[in-house]
Amino acid sequence: MNLVYQGKTKDVYKLTDGNVLLKFKDDVTGEDGVFDPGANTVGLTIEGAGKSGLRMTKYFFEELEAKGVPTHYIDADLDEVSMTVKPATVFGKGLEVICRFRAVGSFLRRYGAYCEEGQPLDAFVEVTIKDDDRNDPPISQNALEELRILTKDEYEILEALTKKISRIVKEDLSAKGLDLYDIKLEFGRDALGNVMLIDEISGGNMRVYKDGQYIAPLDLEKLLFD
């Protein structure tokens, strides 16, 4: 296999059969040693974070596949901390899609004059461009169409899938007494051009609280499966 990309939290390898191998790391996003799923820099390294993230990703991707959600998932190897996936073409140079159930993080920083911290939101979906130099700016549906990053139909599919996936994750966490505040997802096109979920679903790309207290990524994995 050939290394084709080194990401913040995963390394990406091209396999001889045309599929892709994702190798999960123990690095997580944040700033100054504080975890933040919305950050675009590696903030800290947590031993076991890679395996924890993969375990959650395996669980959620297999559940989503069973419920008819299109994903790039093929299988996962917890011992090797790796996941085999279908190849995907990202939108533009990559998008992040956030579904928000509470006003926290960058949403609160931007709109704090109009909302309070933790204020409920109705599965609010927003899209940001993956662009570290510009701090991953939000982008509107019209701008996505104007810049030919995706079509109107693709945006509608992406938004509907984001809400469906996020509510499935939220319901699973709620069964454990956990409250999903927000979650960050990524999508791409498969070989036929269809929209599918890619990347991961783990404690590293969501904010979860219990009784009003934030739950760290490794603690979240333990609470979900114990």
mmCIF file of all heavy atoms in Angstrom, residues 34-60:
data_model
loop_
_atom_site.group_PDB
_atom_site.id
_atom_site.type_symbol
_atom_site.label_atom_id
_atom_site.label_comp_id
_atom_site.label_asym_id
_atom_site.label_seq_id
_atom_site.Cartn_x
_atom_site.Cartn_y
_atom_site.Cartn_z
ATOM 1 N N VAL A 34 -6.256 21.856 24.558
ATOM 2 C CA VAL A 34 -7.677 21.689 24.874
ATOM 3 C C VAL A 34 -8.389 21.145 23.640
ATOM 4 O O VAL A 34 -8.307 21.731 22.552
ATOM 5 C CB VAL A 34 -8.318 23.017 25.303
ATOM 6 C CG1 VAL A 34 -9.809 22.817 25.588
ATOM 7 C CG2 VAL A 34 -7.612 23.580 26.527
ATOM 8 N N PHE A 35 -9.096 20.037 23.778
ATOM 9 C CA PHE A 35 -9.810 19.417 22.665
ATOM 10 C C PHE A 35 -10.917 20.322 22.150
ATOM 11 O O PHE A 35 -11.656 20.932 22.924
ATOM 12 C CB PHE A 35 -10.404 18.076 23.103
ATOM 13 C CG PHE A 35 -11.421 17.525 22.135
ATOM 14 C CD1 PHE A 35 -11.026 17.015 20.912
ATOM 15 C CD2 PHE A 35 -12.772 17.523 22.450
ATOM 16 C CE1 PHE A 35 -11.961 16.518 20.010
ATOM 17 C CE2 PHE A 35 -13.708 17.018 21.563
ATOM 18 C CZ PHE A 35 -13.293 16.515 20.341
ATOM 19 N N ASP A 36 -11.035 20.409 20.818
ATOM 20 C CA ASP A 36 -12.115 21.156 20.176
ATOM 21 C C ASP A 36 -12.380 20.503 18.825
ATOM 22 O O ASP A 36 -11.557 20.597 17.918
ATOM 23 C CB ASP A 36 -11.719 22.616 19.986
ATOM 24 C CG ASP A 36 -12.834 23.446 19.345
ATOM 25 O OD1 ASP A 36 -13.850 22.858 18.916
ATOM 26 O OD2 ASP A 36 -12.677 24.673 19.269
ATOM 27 N N PRO A 37 -13.535 19.817 18.650
ATOM 28 C CA PRO A 37 -13.815 19.141 17.381
ATOM 29 C C PRO A 37 -13.935 20.104 16.218
ATOM 30 O O PRO A 37 -13.821 19.698 15.063
ATOM 31 C CB PRO A 37 -15.145 18.421 17.651
ATOM 32 C CG PRO A 37 -15.782 19.192 18.754
ATOM 33 C CD PRO A 37 -14.639 19.670 19.617
ATOM 34 N N GLY A 38 -14.148 21.396 16.496
ATOM 35 C CA GLY A 38 -14.270 22.377 15.432
ATOM 36 C C GLY A 38 -12.959 23.014 15.036
ATOM 37 O O GLY A 38 -12.907 23.789 14.082
ATOM 38 N N ALA A 39 -11.875 22.684 15.740
ATOM 39 C CA ALA A 39 -10.583 23.301 15.444
ATOM 40 C C ALA A 39 -9.975 22.687 14.184
ATOM 41 O O ALA A 39 -10.285 21.552 13.820
ATOM 42 C CB ALA A 39 -9.638 23.133 16.620
ATOM 43 N N ASN A 40 -9.092 23.446 13.532
ATOM 44 C CA ASN A 40 -8.443 22.925 12.327
ATOM 45 C C ASN A 40 -6.961 22.690 12.549
ATOM 46 O O ASN A 40 -6.182 22.647 11.596
ATOM 47 C CB ASN A 40 -8.680 23.855 11.134
ATOM 48 C CG ASN A 40 -8.151 25.258 11.379
ATOM 49 O OD1 ASN A 40 -7.496 25.524 12.381
ATOM 50 N ND2 ASN A 40 -8.452 26.158 10.465
ATOM 51 N N THR A 41 -6.562 22.544 13.808
ATOM 52 C CA THR A 41 -5.183 22.198 14.151
ATOM 53 C C THR A 41 -5.190 21.051 15.160
ATOM 54 O O THR A 41 -6.190 20.832 15.870
ATOM 55 C CB THR A 41 -4.441 23.390 14.776
ATOM 56 O OG1 THR A 41 -5.163 23.836 15.937
ATOM 57 C CG2 THR A 41 -4.322 24.535 13.789
ATOM 58 N N VAL A 42 -4.081 20.318 15.224
ATOM 59 C CA VAL A 42 -3.934 19.281 16.236
ATOM 60 C C VAL A 42 -3.585 19.957 17.552
ATOM 61 O O VAL A 42 -2.583 20.669 17.647
ATOM 62 C CB VAL A 42 -2.840 18.269 15.839
ATOM 63 C CG1 VAL A 42 -2.575 17.310 16.994
ATOM 64 C CG2 VAL A 42 -3.266 17.487 14.605
ATOM 65 N N GLY A 43 -4.426 19.753 18.536
ATOM 66 C CA GLY A 43 -4.224 20.435 19.808
ATOM 67 C C GLY A 43 -3.511 19.610 20.838
ATOM 68 O O GLY A 43 -2.827 20.142 21.716
ATOM 69 N N LEU A 44 -3.653 18.285 20.750
ATOM 70 C CA LEU A 44 -3.032 17.415 21.737
ATOM 71 C C LEU A 44 -3.059 15.973 21.251
ATOM 72 O O LEU A 44 -3.772 15.633 20.295
ATOM 73 C CB LEU A 44 -3.730 17.523 23.085
ATOM 74 C CG LEU A 44 -5.206 17.092 23.193
ATOM 75 C CD1 LEU A 44 -5.544 16.831 24.665
ATOM 76 C CD2 LEU A 44 -6.148 18.166 22.661
ATOM 77 N N THR A 45 -2.262 15.145 21.908
ATOM 78 C CA THR A 45 -2.222 13.712 21.637
ATOM 79 C C THR A 45 -2.704 12.983 22.873
ATOM 80 O O THR A 45 -2.234 13.245 23.982
ATOM 81 C CB THR A 45 -0.795 13.259 21.277
ATOM 82 O OG1 THR A 45 -0.374 13.953 20.100
ATOM 83 C CG2 THR A 45 -0.754 11.765 21.006
ATOM 84 N N ILE A 46 -3.665 12.088 22.689
ATOM 85 C CA ILE A 46 -4.230 11.323 23.801
ATOM 86 C C ILE A 46 -4.012 9.846 23.514
ATOM 87 O O ILE A 46 -4.517 9.326 22.514
ATOM 88 C CB ILE A 46 -5.737 11.604 23.973
ATOM 89 C CG1 ILE A 46 -5.994 13.100 24.151
ATOM 90 C CG2 ILE A 46 -6.285 10.827 25.156
ATOM 91 C CD1 ILE A 46 -7.475 13.461 24.171
ATOM 92 N N GLU A 47 -3.253 9.162 24.365
ATOM 93 C CA GLU A 47 -2.980 7.742 24.149
ATOM 94 C C GLU A 47 -4.288 6.952 24.099
ATOM 95 O O GLU A 47 -5.146 7.083 24.978
ATOM 96 C CB GLU A 47 -2.084 7.198 25.267
ATOM 97 C CG GLU A 47 -1.669 5.753 25.053
ATOM 98 C CD GLU A 47 -0.731 5.243 26.145
ATOM 99 O OE1 GLU A 47 -0.334 6.033 27.004
ATOM 100 O OE2 GLU A 47 -0.420 4.039 26.102
ATOM 101 N N GLY A 48 -4.433 6.163 23.048
ATOM 102 C CA GLY A 48 -5.637 5.354 22.887
ATOM 103 C C GLY A 48 -6.751 6.043 22.119
ATOM 104 O O GLY A 48 -7.780 5.426 21.837
ATOM 105 N N ALA A 49 -6.547 7.318 21.751
ATOM 106 C CA ALA A 49 -7.606 8.053 21.060
ATOM 107 C C ALA A 49 -7.912 7.448 19.694
ATOM 108 O O ALA A 49 -9.068 7.421 19.260
ATOM 109 C CB ALA A 49 -7.211 9.518 20.907
ATOM 110 N N GLY A 50 -6.876 6.950 18.998
ATOM 111 C CA GLY A 50 -7.092 6.366 17.683
ATOM 112 C C GLY A 50 -7.978 5.141 17.728
ATOM 113 O O GLY A 50 -8.953 5.039 16.975
ATOM 114 N N LYS A 51 -7.662 4.221 18.629
ATOM 115 C CA LYS A 51 -8.466 3.000 18.741
ATOM 116 C C LYS A 51 -9.869 3.319 19.236
ATOM 117 O O LYS A 51 -10.861 2.721 18.784
ATOM 118 C CB LYS A 51 -7.782 1.997 19.676
ATOM 119 C CG LYS A 51 -8.546 0.692 19.807
ATOM 120 C CD LYS A 51 -7.767 -0.369 20.559
ATOM 121 C CE LYS A 51 -6.680 -0.973 19.698
ATOM 122 N NZ LYS A 51 -6.063 -2.167 20.309
ATOM 123 N N SER A 52 -9.973 4.267 20.163
ATOM 124 C CA SER A 52 -11.278 4.672 20.661
ATOM 125 C C SER A 52 -12.134 5.240 19.537
ATOM 126 O O SER A 52 -13.314 4.896 19.394
ATOM 127 C CB SER A 52 -11.106 5.715 21.780
ATOM 128 O OG SER A 52 -12.353 6.238 22.181
ATOM 129 N N GLY A 53 -11.513 6.111 18.727
ATOM 130 C CA GLY A 53 -12.250 6.697 17.614
ATOM 131 C C GLY A 53 -12.666 5.664 16.591
ATOM 132 O O GLY A 53 -13.778 5.715 16.059
ATOM 133 N N LEU A 54 -11.798 4.708 16.320
ATOM 134 C CA LEU A 54 -12.122 3.661 15.354
ATOM 135 C C LEU A 54 -13.240 2.762 15.872
ATOM 136 O O LEU A 54 -14.127 2.369 15.109
ATOM 137 C CB LEU A 54 -10.879 2.827 15.046
ATOM 138 C CG LEU A 54 -11.093 1.647 14.090
ATOM 139 C CD1 LEU A 54 -11.646 2.119 12.754
ATOM 140 C CD2 LEU A 54 -9.794 0.880 13.892
ATOM 141 N N ARG A 55 -13.206 2.453 17.146
ATOM 142 C CA ARG A 55 -14.254 1.587 17.713
ATOM 143 C C ARG A 55 -15.633 2.239 17.572
ATOM 144 O O ARG A 55 -16.604 1.592 17.180
ATOM 145 C CB ARG A 55 -13.952 1.305 19.189
ATOM 146 C CG ARG A 55 -14.870 0.259 19.806
ATOM 147 C CD ARG A 55 -14.563 0.069 21.271
ATOM 148 N NE ARG A 55 -15.392 -0.974 21.881
ATOM 149 C CZ ARG A 55 -15.603 -1.095 23.182
ATOM 150 N NH1 ARG A 55 -15.031 -0.258 24.035
ATOM 151 N NH2 ARG A 55 -16.364 -2.061 23.644
ATOM 152 N N MET A 56 -15.704 3.541 17.861
ATOM 153 C CA MET A 56 -16.975 4.250 17.704
ATOM 154 C C MET A 56 -17.367 4.349 16.233
ATOM 155 O O MET A 56 -18.534 4.169 15.876
ATOM 156 C CB MET A 56 -16.873 5.644 18.323
ATOM 157 C CG MET A 56 -16.879 5.653 19.835
ATOM 158 S SD MET A 56 -16.934 7.336 20.523
ATOM 159 C CE MET A 56 -18.543 7.891 19.955
ATOM 160 N N THR A 57 -16.385 4.626 15.375
ATOM 161 C CA THR A 57 -16.656 4.741 13.947
ATOM 162 C C THR A 57 -17.189 3.430 13.378
ATOM 163 O O THR A 57 -18.163 3.413 12.609
ATOM 164 C CB THR A 57 -15.383 5.157 13.201
ATOM 165 O OG1 THR A 57 -14.970 6.458 13.662
ATOM 166 C CG2 THR A 57 -15.608 5.207 11.701
ATOM 167 N N LYS A 58 -16.567 2.331 13.741
ATOM 168 C CA LYS A 58 -17.019 1.011 13.298
ATOM 169 C C LYS A 58 -18.469 0.777 13.727
ATOM 170 O O LYS A 58 -19.308 0.340 12.928
ATOM 171 C CB LYS A 58 -16.112 -0.078 13.886
ATOM 172 C CG LYS A 58 -16.490 -1.506 13.512
ATOM 173 C CD LYS A 58 -15.489 -2.488 14.126
ATOM 174 C CE LYS A 58 -15.767 -3.932 13.684
ATOM 175 N NZ LYS A 58 -17.044 -4.451 14.178
ATOM 176 N N TYR A 59 -18.756 1.077 14.974
ATOM 177 C CA TYR A 59 -20.102 0.869 15.508
ATOM 178 C C TYR A 59 -21.138 1.693 14.733
ATOM 179 O O TYR A 59 -22.153 1.165 14.257
ATOM 180 C CB TYR A 59 -20.133 1.245 16.993
ATOM 181 C CG TYR A 59 -21.520 1.314 17.576
ATOM 182 C CD1 TYR A 59 -22.196 0.153 17.961
ATOM 183 C CD2 TYR A 59 -22.176 2.532 17.744
ATOM 184 C CE1 TYR A 59 -23.480 0.212 18.490
ATOM 185 C CE2 TYR A 59 -23.449 2.606 18.267
ATOM 186 C CZ TYR A 59 -24.094 1.445 18.637
ATOM 187 O OH TYR A 59 -25.358 1.504 19.154
ATOM 188 N N PHE A 60 -20.864 2.999 14.578
ATOM 189 C CA PHE A 60 -21.852 3.868 13.951
ATOM 190 C C PHE A 60 -21.971 3.616 12.446
ATOM 191 O O PHE A 60 -23.079 3.610 11.895
ATOM 192 C CB PHE A 60 -21.523 5.331 14.217
ATOM 193 C CG PHE A 60 -21.939 5.793 15.592
ATOM 194 C CD1 PHE A 60 -21.003 6.266 16.492
ATOM 195 C CD2 PHE A 60 -23.265 5.754 15.975
ATOM 196 C CE1 PHE A 60 -21.380 6.692 17.759
ATOM 197 C CE2 PHE A 60 -23.663 6.183 17.235
ATOM 198 C CZ PHE A 60 -22.716 6.650 18.130
#
